[in-house]
Amino acid sequence: MQSQLDSRMDIVRGTNLFPPGLLDRLGKWLATAPEDEVFRINALGWAKQHNTDENLVIDMFLHATRAGLVEMLWSVLCTQCGMLITSPGGLRAMGRVYAGWALSQAF
């Protein structure tokens, strides 16, 4: 399990976009945090807990997702009606889901 974590962390390290200390904290956290905490991770909460820039952490988690370290699911709160819109296809599919929902609400 640790070798899989290390090899996937190396993918994120290979981007050279993040401070090594930050990646070390992420790797250690992924290896030691309780499963339910990892399952419910919130990038903004993780940034606050680790006293790190939110944008940097979001970017790091997106790269970690691409490397297979974590899986992120996205939701959008509609500013018109307050409905929470989710996409099982991830962030890339969100535009199509939201556009289709908005169009269906027009009729």
Side-chain angles (χ1 to χ4, degrees), residues 8 11-12 60-71 92:
R8 291 174 191 250
I11 294 170
V12 181
M60 180 180 68
F61 270 82
L62 288 171
H63 282 273
T65 299
R66 179 165 276 181
L69 286 164
V70 296
E71 182 176 314
R92 287 188 181 115

Side-chain angles (χ1 to χ4, degrees), residues 77-98:
L77 185 61
C78 178
T79 59
Q80 299 298 313
C81 70
M83 182 177 197
L84 185 66
I85 305 161
T86 60
S87 171
L91 188 58
R92 287 188 181 115
M94 185 59 69
R96 292 189 303 273
V97 169
Y98 187 71

